[in-house]
Amino acid sequence: MKGLIVLKFSFIFLLLASQSVMGSQKRKSRLQMKPCKQFVLYYHDILYGGIGGHDPVNATSAAVTNAATKLGNFTFGLMVIFDDPMTKNRNLHSPVPVARAQGFYFYDMKNIPSAWFAYTLVFNSSDYKGTLNIMGADPITEKTRDLSVVGGTGDFFMARGIATFQTDALEGTKYFRLKMDIKLYECY
Amino acid sequence: MKGLIVLKFSFIFLLLASQSVMGSQKRKSRLQMKPCKQFVLYYHDILYGGIGGHDPVNATSAAVTNAATKLGNFTFGLMVIFDDPMTKNRNLHSPVPVARAQGFYFYDMKNIPSAWFAYTLVFNSSDYKGTLNIMGADPITEKTRDLSVVGGTGDFFMARGIATFQTDALEGTKYFRLKMDIKLYECY
Amino acid sequence: MKGLIVLKFSFIFLLLASQSVMGSQKRKSRLQMKPCKQFVLYYHDILYGGIGGHDPVNATSAAVTNAATKLGNFTFGLMVIFDDPMTKNRNLHSPVPVARAQGFYFYDMKNIPSAWFAYTLVFNSSDYKGTLNIMGADPITEKTRDLSVVGGTGDFFMARGIATFQTDALEGTKYFRLKMDIKLYECY
């Protein structure tokens, strides 16, 4: 008789347990979430000035549209394609870049400088092999900007997360450096 | 003795429960899925006609490539970069835009008008702060078109879902309005 | 009395079960993961040579920027917009393309040929209706290259996975064919 009561209790608890399984669509609140992987990398963009321009040897990016839209005063419409080194510290001449950032950005606001990025981090080091794919807005005048890590391959198979940008250096139109804090919340 | 039987039963049920946990790769069928968040916004694209063109003050987008590919009759290859207001209702002059849509589209079919979009909804209102990142094809001649919400930040941390486009107004080459029905199926 | 002991045991096991539910953030290792859907498609890119160029009737893609960045020797910065047929076998003239690939790629390395893609597979066959959205780096000189499937709609509602590229044919600057092995690891 007691056993039967226990059985009933078990049913109830199992019901609760299975409901919490069914409800697995409900994820942890973002306040509770901790990254399953996190690292900081520095992005170095060395802009090529065009034919006869500065530094074709070291340049790692080039404008592919011109700023001739003349919409506003912040090169609205200027698009840049890049293959930029990513290093573990601020030093562009770090022994070995840990990854390349390959993709593009363009400027898209009339009244303040603001950009939009889509790119791939291509890792090929002793630490990691694989890629992370990232896209989002980069409102440059904000102290920090969050973009989405929308997918990954290799060591970053199916990863998702947030890439937080911070401007780390800005040298006219020739060079800028971004600190990218990569936080992955889905790891496999 | 009865207790032992109960224990066995419990084991079996627990086994079933834990298996359903292990099998959490299997998600709900898409027919059962309901959005965890949904809202409708209107996208207003006011195309700048170029230097000496119409309305540089109000324009919110500009072509960055020309249509000189001459492939087909639907401006194949024309790319537009935009920073467009998003409003809760059809009225472009709604008190305050609830978001900006920043990104680009281009036309990519020879025989019918068809576009491809990648952009970020940047929210900065009392309702929401954060971003949603969206990409996908926009086969304009279809009544509704589904694009992917591939990530989010801030109040939309790690969100995923569907953005359904509907053409809401079309005024020549100067202005068009899209109704965007944003349905998020992964919310944190 | 025995019943009570059983109840205690049940609690412990239920606790374990519910913890494994709570820990559902931990996914299966990528080595254990098998695709929930997989298929191979062939991508045919027939580049339009420009006005007066070759084959405007059959061309399915066109350059929208020129390679005049002159950065390196591999058309750094050249961007191509495409609406390419996808077939089940190598034959471009397969009875019916099962999908269109709509999007763009550009070349982004100075010293070797390397590209970056973002595009949508638009399915409209008896097998599938819906889309898959894909982005990532395509380091052409590698035997296989993995890109991210970042979202889907229709029959591919909310899908995620990997698209593995392999160069299948290359005919100068007029035509190339990629084998795309699409593996989805999140299906709804």
Side-chain angles (χ1 to χ4, degrees), chain C residues 8-64:
Chain C
K8 269 189 194 166
F9 268 98
S10 301
F11 261 120
I12 290 161
F13 289 121
L14 281 163
L15 205 70
L16 288 171
S18 70
Q19 272 183 329
S20 97
V21 176
M22 304 286 279
S24 67
Q25 292 305 122
K26 277 180 217 151
R27 314 296 179 92
K28 284 188 186 178
S29 139
R30 68 180 184 275
L31 301 170
Q32 297 167 265
M33 295 278 287
K34 279 177 194 161
C36 43
K37 196 168 280 177
Q38 183 171 11
F39 47 83
V40 169
L41 294 175
Y42 291 86
Y43 165 99
H44 306 268
D45 193 55
I46 309 159
L47 197 64
Y48 179 49
I51 299 158
H54 49 76
D55 216 356
V57 174
N58 292 317
T60 58
S61 72
V64 296

Side-chain angles (χ1 to χ4, degrees), chain A residues 101-118:
Chain A
Q102 300 183 332
F104 68 105
Y105 61 81
F106 53 76
Y107 296 97
D108 62 2
M109 283 188 81
K110 288 160 74 172
N111 304 318
I112 52 166
S114 190
W116 193 93
F117 276 76

Side-chain angles (χ1 to χ4, degrees), chain B residues 1 3-4 6-7 10-11 14 21-22 25 27-30 33 65 68-71 76-77 79 104 106-110 114 116 135-137 146-148 150 160-162 185-186, chain C residues 2 6 9-10 13-14 20-21 27 33 48 51 56-57 59-64 79 81 83 102-104 118-120 133-134 150-155 157-160 186-188:
Chain B
M1 198 56 190
L4 234 89
V6 175
L7 194 60
S10 300
F11 260 120
L14 280 163
V21 177
M22 303 286 279
Q25 292 306 123
R27 315 299 179 91
K28 284 187 185 178
S29 138
R30 68 179 183 277
M33 296 278 288
T65 61
T69 67
K70 302 288 180 210
L71 193 58
F76 190 109
M79 179 181 284
F104 68 106
F106 53 76
Y107 296 97
D108 61 3
M109 284 188 80
K110 287 161 74 174
S114 190
W116 194 92
M135 68 181 265
D146 284 348
L147 288 81
S148 291
V150 297
R160 294 185 71 229
I162 305 286
Y185 296 90
E186 291 189 14
Chain C
K2 269 176 194 166
V6 174
F9 268 98
S10 301
F13 289 121
L14 281 163
S20 97
V21 176
R27 314 296 179 92
M33 295 278 287
Y48 179 49
I51 299 158
V57 174
T60 58
S61 72
V64 296
M79 180 181 284
I81 287 174
D83 169 30
Q102 301 184 331
F104 68 105
Y119 65 105
T120 302
N133 291 306
I134 296 169
V150 296
T153 69
D155 288 339
F157 177 78
M158 293 284 283
R160 295 184 71 227
E186 291 190 13
C187 306
Y188 286 82

